[in-house]
Amino acid sequence: MEILPDDLQAYLNNHCEPEPEALQFINRETYLKVLKPNMLSGHYQGRLLSMLSKMIQPRRILEIGTFTGYATICLAEGLTEDGLIHTIEVNTEMEEMLKKHFSLTSVEKKIVPHFGPAEQVMADLQTEVFDLVFIDADKKNNLLYFEKILNQVRSGGIIIIDNVLWKGKVYGTEKDADTESFRKLNDSIAVDTRVEKLILPVRDGILLIRKK
């Protein structure tokens, strides 16, 4: 879902860093072979994630929701030389495709995939301290994941949550469960004094959070 008009989004795509060849392939393959391919981060959002990661230069990243690995690779581009990204995917049927996609890149060895329910995997990673976290999984649990991971994020670390404008519904009159879930998330973080926060109108909305 794109919040911005198509012509503006096209202009933005044409005036940012080009999409790497491996990611172009993953983009095409996702649209050819995977249900709900619009869940892919895509060119512009991917370059934003890559730039944020490069600015932070994280040693440890956590991604909740791997999908076809596009955002994983973008985030991994900014890792330190000894850095790792732990990425969690609940759908074990994605494992073969993800292995193929990661093998196309120079960051393959920095990616540690985990398969299973996010809460379970997060419990196994509870000794890690993260510089950057990207939450893009089952939407109803966004606030739960935020609360569970905040204590493992270093001071000054960044949490990014995707889809927070939810097709524009959060600022409309819709009352469905998913929309109300995003409203609760946004409203809760807006008043959370432990963090600084900013919503960016990129694609379906990105909530950028900095831990104080």
Side-chain angles (χ1 to χ4, degrees), residues 74-100:
C74 295
L75 291 165
E77 290 173 3
L79 282 164
T80 58
E81 187 173 343
D82 64 340
L84 294 173
I85 177 169
H86 292 276
T87 183
I88 305 171
E89 175 55 46
V90 70
N91 184 1
T92 57
E93 293 182 2
M94 300 298 292
E95 186 168 2
E96 185 177 343
M97 177 178 279
L98 285 169
K99 184 181 294 186
K100 173 185 175 182

Side-chain angles (χ1 to χ4, degrees), residues 1-2 19 23-43 45 66-71 91 94 97 101 136 139 162-163 167 203-204:
M1 170 64 185
E2 303 282 356
E19 186 178 35
L23 292 177
Q24 291 179 35
F25 174 84
I26 293 168
N27 195 328
R28 287 193 302 270
E29 186 161 76
T30 300
Y31 274 84
L32 286 172
K33 298 182 178 180
V34 181
L35 292 174
K36 298 183 179 180
N38 59 304
M39 291 169 56
L40 187 90
S41 289
H43 179 192
Q45 182 173 320
T66 316
F67 194 44
T68 59
Y70 190 103
N91 184 1
M94 300 298 292
M97 177 178 279
H101 288 175
D136 187 19
K139 308 310 179 185
D162 201 10
N163 303 113
K167 307 170 188 174
R203 292 196 74 238
D204 201 16

Side-chain angles (χ1 to χ4, degrees), residues 8 34 40 42 46 50 53 59 78 96 100 102 121 137-139 156 158 160 163 169 174 176 182 186 188 192 204:
L8 174 55
V34 181
L40 187 90
S50 174
S53 184
R59 186 171 179 272
E96 185 177 343
K100 173 185 175 182
F102 295 151
V121 177
D138 51 320
K139 308 310 179 185
I158 299 295
I160 303 168
N163 303 113
K169 292 181 179 181
E174 286 84 351
D176 62 273
F182 273 106
N186 295 340
S188 296
D192 193 324
D204 201 16

Side-chain angles (χ1 to χ4, degrees), residues 128-172:
E128 291 278 4
V129 176
F130 295 104
D131 307 293
L132 177 60
V133 176
F134 182 47
I135 301 174
D136 187 19
D138 51 320
K139 308 310 179 185
K140 67 180 183 297
N141 285 318
N142 279 340
L143 187 56
L144 172 66
Y145 297 146
F146 167 78
E147 291 290 353
K148 280 188 171 294
I149 204 60
L150 184 61
N151 286 339
Q152 288 179 245
V153 176
R154 66 166 174 82
S155 178
I158 299 295
I159 299 174
I160 303 168
I161 306 178
D162 201 10
N163 303 113
V164 297
L165 294 179
W166 198 234
K167 307 170 188 174
K169 292 181 179 181
V170 291
Y171 50 87

Side-chain angles (χ1 to χ4, degrees), residues 165-202:
L165 294 179
W166 198 234
K167 307 170 188 174
K169 292 181 179 181
V170 291
Y171 50 87
T173 59
E174 286 84 351
K175 300 292 184 182
D176 62 273
D178 286 336
T179 301
E180 292 291 5
S181 175
F182 273 106
R183 287 193 183 115
K184 181 180 179 181
L185 170 76
N186 295 340
D187 292 346
S188 296
I189 294 177
V191 298
D192 193 324
T193 58
R194 299 170 296 177
V195 297
E196 299 172 272
K197 71 290 295 185
L198 180 70
I199 294 178
L200 303 177
V202 174

